[in-house]
Amino acid sequence: MAKTRPGVPSKIKTGRKELDMYTIKGTNKVVRAGDYVLMRPSDAGKPPYVARVEKIEADARNNVKVHCRWYYRPEESLGGRRQFHGAKELFLSDHFDVQSAHTIEGKCIVHTFKSYTRLENVGAEDYYCRFEYKAATGAFTPDRVAVYCKCEMPYNPDDLMVQCEGCKDWYHPACVGMTIEEAKLLDHFACAECSSDDDVKKSQNGFTASPADDVKVEPKRRKR
């Protein structure tokens, strides 16, 4: 299955009836409008496409079609995958399409960014979205996001970060001369600008918070 390119709408025949649901072939999983689905790609070596079902229709011969809105993976966007993009990150595009319901392989969940960062366990069906994406121009909404650390990068939930007790900013361990293992043992941390002449205390403790949970911090923003 190939995604229809933006600006080339699929042909929609008349005489269709709208359906409330569709049962994925070979399963007992039911799909309804508003659900997130995994759709079979044309290249078997690629991961499944992700889409949100907008409407389900059937013709007189009971051929079922789904109207969908595609999610793009970072590598499918014009700018490509960048360092701050998480492995399960998707962009909600303005690319609408109509596909055969038989191409649906399964269901998934597309979380908000904050909800995803609060998951205790991330399953194979869990994804997240923090940007909308215009497929024709490569533009993102929002076009500005909070950045952190000395490297001034947006937060990647796959990466461990430590928070300075002084300025409350978040840092990648590698950017402040630490290994991941050392960062996991920190009980207190102060960045170079906030640290005093005294050594920063260190002891056993794991960091469970993340920049996405830190609602009090308003880091300077950069256009991304």
Side-chain angles (χ1 to χ4, degrees):
M1 181 201 73
K3 294 179 182 177
T4 306
R5 301 319 306 164
V8 186
S10 300
K11 294 181 180 179
I12 303 176
K13 297 180 180 180
T14 58
R16 295 184 181 277
K17 61 179 180 179
E18 190 167 343
L19 303 179
D20 292 330
M21 65 185 71
Y22 169 77
T23 302
I24 300 174
K25 187 176 180 181
T27 75
N28 60 357
K29 295 180 179 180
V30 174
V31 174
R32 295 179 173 86
D35 287 346
Y36 306 101
V37 294
L38 302 170
M39 305 189 79
R40 185 171 63 251
S42 54
D43 186 343
K46 291 184 177 181
Y49 294 134
V50 180
R52 187 176 72 194
V53 176
E54 302 293 308
K55 185 167 64 174
I56 307 170
E57 291 182 331
D59 61 19
R61 296 182 179 180
N62 207 33
N63 295 315
V64 182
K65 299 283 186 179
V66 290
H67 294 242
C68 59
R69 185 175 182 180
W70 293 115
Y71 282 90
Y72 278 42
R73 287 184 168 81
E75 56 269 24
E76 296 174 322
S77 68
L78 294 179
R81 178 172 288 279
R82 301 182 63 183
Q83 182 180 343
F84 62 88
H85 292 142
K88 305 303 289 291
E89 184 157 8
L90 301 170
F91 308 144
L92 178 61
S93 78
D94 59 349
H95 180 177
F96 293 84
D97 203 357
V98 180
Q99 294 287 335
S100 169
H102 292 309
T103 62
I104 299 176
E105 294 185 326
K107 297 178 69 174
C108 62
I109 305 170
V110 181
H111 302 270
T112 64
F113 183 59
K114 181 169 286 190
S115 295
Y116 180 85
T117 61
R118 292 176 176 174
L119 293 177
E120 292 186 7
N121 297 294
V122 177
E125 73 284 358
D126 291 310
Y127 296 88
Y128 70 89
C129 176
R130 56 178 158 179
F131 295 108
E132 290 193 16
Y133 174 70
K134 292 189 178 297
T137 64
F140 289 93
T141 303
D143 63 352
R144 294 176 182 268
V145 293
V147 296
Y148 304 88
C149 190
K150 295 161 61 176
C151 62
E152 295 191 340
M153 294 291 288
Y155 176 48
N156 181 341
D158 298 338
D159 295 339
L160 174 70
M161 298 188 80
V162 294
Q163 188 180 35
C164 173
E165 292 182 342
C167 64
K168 304 302 182 183
D169 202 358
W170 292 81
Y171 293 85
H172 300 107
C175 293
V176 290
M178 282 190 291
T179 65
I180 297 296
E181 290 70 25
E182 289 171 335
K184 289 179 178 179
L185 298 177
L186 287 175
D187 185 40
H188 302 275
F189 169 72
C191 68
E193 293 184 2
C194 296
S195 61
S196 65
D197 293 336
D198 298 328
D199 290 334
V200 177
K201 296 178 181 179
K202 298 181 180 180
S203 65
Q204 292 279 350
N205 188 39
F207 281 82
T208 56
S210 71
D213 295 319
D214 190 7
V215 296
K216 296 181 180 179
V217 179
E218 291 293 338
K220 54 186 176 182
R221 297 174 182 269
R222 294 289 187 272
K223 186 173 182 180
R224 293 290 175 188

